Amino acid sequence: MTAAPQSDDGLKPELTLFDSITINVGTMVASAIFLMPAVVALSFRSVAPSLMVWIVGGIVSVFGALCLGELGAAMPKAGGQFVYLKRIYGPVWGYLYGWACAIIINPGSIAAIAVGFATYLSHLIPMGSAGVKVAAVVSIMGLSVMNCFGLRLGVVLQNVLTVLKIVAIVGLAALCFLLPGGSAENLQPFWPTESWTSLIGPFGLALVAALFAYDGWIEITYVGSEMRNPARDMPRSIILSTALVALLYVTVAVAFTYVLGHQGVSQSPRVAADAATAVLGTAGAVVVTFTVLVSTLGSNNGIVFTAARVPFAMARDGQFFAWAGRVSPRYAVPTTSILVQGVWASLLALSGTYDQLATYVVFASFLFYGMSAVGVMVLRQREPELHRPYRSWGYPFTPLIFSAFAAFLIINTTLEQPVDTLIGIGLLALGLVFYYGFGWHRAAARP
C-alpha cells in the first residue's frame, strides 16, 4: 500500500470522513452529558424550558458548525481558527486565539477530563485523592505517548472508543424508557407557570452550561491538513457530528427526566448514575461508570492529538516556540508539541487549577467563535474570488444568528461573572507579553 503524501507542513493526509466524525463526536461527548442535565434543570421549575435549552444549544452549535465548515473547507490547514482569524483580522487575533487554546483552554480541558476519568475509575479501584491525580496524569501521558506513533494509531483508538460510547449512551437511554422505573408522569409539570420573559436570565445561564457540553465540534479543523479530502469532508464532519450529538443530548435529557422527574434531575449530583440505578438497581452504577470511563478516555484522546496541532501551526508561522513546530520524520506527527502539551496538562491536573482556567476563558471561546462567524461575512465581501468548496447554508442568517448568540453569552458572562471575565482578559493580555517580548509579531508581519 502506497503511503499518503505529506502536506506542505510535513503532516500526512490520512483522515477519512468517518474518522473526522468520530474525532468530533468523541471529543464533544465527554463527562458533561452525565452531569449537565442536572445543572440545566436546576435553572427552571418545569420540563419544557430545560429541553428548550438543549434544543437551542444544539441549533446554535449546528449554526456555528455551518459557519466554521465554510472557513475550514476554504482554508484546510492545521491550526483551525488560528489560521482563519489570522487571515480575516490580522496576525495578532490569530495569535491570541492560538495562545488561549495552547496554554489555557485545551490543556485545561485535558486535565479536567482526565481527573473526571480517574475519579470514576476510583469507584472501581479505590485509590484515594492522591491516587486519582496520579491516574489522571498516567492517562494523559499514556495518550500523549501513544499519539506520537503516528496519526493512524490514535485515530483507530478514537474510532473504537467513539462507537462504544455512542452504543453505551443510546443503550442507557433506551433502558430508561423500556425498563420499569420511569413514567410519563415524571415529565410534568411540562410547561412553565411563570412568564417566558422571566426565564430569559436563567435561560442564558443554562445555555452556557449546555453549550459547554456541546463544545468540541471545532476539533477537526485543527487537523485540516491531515484530511484526505478536507474540502468535502470537513464541513460534512462538523455538521453531521454536531447534529448527532444534539440528538444524543436531547434524548438523554428526556430519558433522565422520564425516570427521575424534573425535580429529581435538578437535585441529582450524579444524574446518569441515579437514573441507571432506578431502572437497573445496583448494576446501574457499574454501567454508568463503564460508560463514563469510555466516554472521557475517548474525548481526551481526540483533544490530545488535535489540540497539539494549534501550537504546531503557530510555531510553523513563527508565532510560538520553535520546538512546537517539529515533526517526527518517521511518524509525521508533531511529537514535541504533543508531549509538552501532555506535561503541561499533567501539571494542571496535579495542581487542581484547571477548573479555574476553564472558567476564566469561557467568554474568550465564544468571542473567537463569534469572530469566526462574522469572518464568514467579511471574507465573502473582501475575497469573493476565494475558492469555497462549501458555502454556509442559510447565509447570511446563519452567521448572523450564531454571532448574536455569541455576543449574548459574552455579555451575560461578563455581567454574571465580572471577576472571572477580567482575569480571563488578563490571561489573554499575558499572551501579548510573549508575542512582543519574543519578537513573534515581527515573524507574523512577514509575508
Side-chain angles (χ1 to χ4, degrees):
M1 181 177 178
T2 304
Q6 288 183 315
S7 61
D8 57 6
D9 57 13
L11 306 177
K12 287 184 178 181
E14 299 183 64
L15 298 175
T16 66
L17 175 60
F18 179 75
D19 297 333
S20 304
I21 292 173
T22 63
I23 288 170
N24 264 11
V25 173
T27 303
M28 293 167 74
V29 182
S31 58
I33 191 173
F34 307 102
L35 303 172
M36 287 302 175
V39 177
V40 171
L42 190 61
S43 300
F44 311 102
R45 295 199 293 268
S46 54
V47 174
S50 298
L51 295 183
M52 283 300 298
V53 166
W54 290 107
I55 294 170
V56 171
I59 293 172
V60 170
S61 297
V62 169
F63 280 12
L66 291 168
C67 297
L68 268 293
E70 176 170 326
L71 297 177
M75 295 171 275
K77 299 292 184 181
Q81 283 189 104
F82 164 71
V83 177
Y84 317 151
L85 294 172
K86 179 183 177 182
R87 180 164 184 163
I88 298 167
Y89 301 106
V92 69
W93 287 104
Y95 168 79
L96 284 175
Y97 170 78
W99 165 267
C101 281
I103 303 299
I104 305 166
I105 298 175
N106 289 328
S109 296
I110 292 170
I113 294 171
V115 171
F117 167 83
T119 300
Y120 271 87
L121 184 63
S122 69
H123 295 320
L124 300 178
I125 307 172
M127 58 182 73
S129 59
V132 166
K133 290 186 176 182
V134 171
V137 170
V138 169
S139 71
I140 292 171
M141 294 311 302
L143 291 173
S144 299
V145 170
M146 187 199 67
N147 277 284
C148 289
F149 290 96
L151 180 66
R152 200 69 238 161
L153 181 60
V155 170
V156 169
L157 178 61
Q158 188 71 11
N159 291 346
V160 172
L161 291 174
T162 299
V163 171
L164 281 177
K165 81 166 70 177
I166 291 174
V167 171
I169 291 169
V170 171
L172 176 60
L175 292 176
C176 288
F177 289 116
L178 297 175
L179 294 181
S183 170
E185 293 181 0
N186 288 333
L187 299 177
Q188 302 298 327
F190 190 77
W191 298 108
T193 56
E194 61 269 47
S195 67
W196 284 95
T197 54
S198 67
L199 298 176
I200 293 176
F203 192 91
L205 291 175
L207 189 59
V208 170
L211 289 175
F212 174 79
Y214 278 110
D215 201 17
W217 46 267
I218 197 173
E219 294 294 318
I220 192 59
T221 66
Y222 297 159
V223 291
S225 59
E226 292 168 277
M227 300 178 70
R228 291 181 183 176
N229 192 342
R232 181 196 69 187
D233 292 345
M234 185 175 294
R236 289 183 181 182
S237 64
I238 295 174
I239 296 165
L240 290 174
S241 60
T242 307
L244 175 58
V245 171
L247 180 61
L248 284 176
Y249 282 5
V250 173
T251 302
V252 165
V254 175
F256 292 167
T257 307
Y258 183 79
V259 172
L260 300 176
H262 180 75
Q263 186 174 5
V265 170
S266 66
Q267 296 178 351
S268 174
R270 297 176 58 204
V271 61
D274 289 343
T277 301
V279 296
L280 290 172
T282 55
V286 177
V287 171
V288 169
T289 298
F290 169 78
T291 304
V292 172
L293 291 177
V294 172
S295 184
T296 50
L297 194 66
S299 181
N300 247 3
N301 181 66
I303 300 175
V304 164
F305 83 77
T306 57
R309 270 63 175 179
V310 176
F312 164 79
M314 295 171 69
R316 300 283 288 196
D317 230 27
Q319 297 186 60
F320 202 66
F321 300 105
W323 48 257
R326 298 172 189 162
V327 176
S328 166
R330 180 175 180 181
Y331 298 107
V333 294
T335 308
T336 308
S337 183
I338 293 172
L339 292 176
V340 173
Q341 172 186 260
V343 171
W344 177 231
S346 296
L347 292 174
L348 293 178
L350 291 173
S351 67
T353 58
Y354 47 86
D355 281 336
Q356 292 93 320
L357 287 175
T359 301
Y360 296 153
V361 295
V362 163
F363 86 99
S365 298
F366 290 110
L367 170 65
F368 293 123
Y369 284 158
M371 290 178 67
S372 293
V374 173
V376 172
M377 296 183 286
V378 172
L379 278 186
R380 288 274 190 109
Q381 296 297 316
R382 194 174 67 202
E383 299 185 41
E385 75 288 349
L386 177 66
H387 178 57
R388 294 174 173 85
Y390 161 80
R391 289 176 176 263
S392 177
W393 176 88
Y395 180 90
F397 301 105
T398 304
L400 283 173
I401 292 173
F402 181 78
S403 57
F405 265 95
F408 166 72
L409 290 172
I410 293 167
I411 295 171
N412 194 66
T413 301
T414 302
L415 293 176
E416 296 292 335
Q417 299 173 309
V419 175
D420 290 342
T421 299
L422 287 174
I423 294 175
I425 293 173
L427 290 172
L428 287 178
L430 179 63
L432 294 176
V433 175
F434 285 81
Y435 187 65
Y436 292 103
F438 283 90
W440 295 337
H441 65 292
R442 289 191 291 272
R446 291 196 295 266

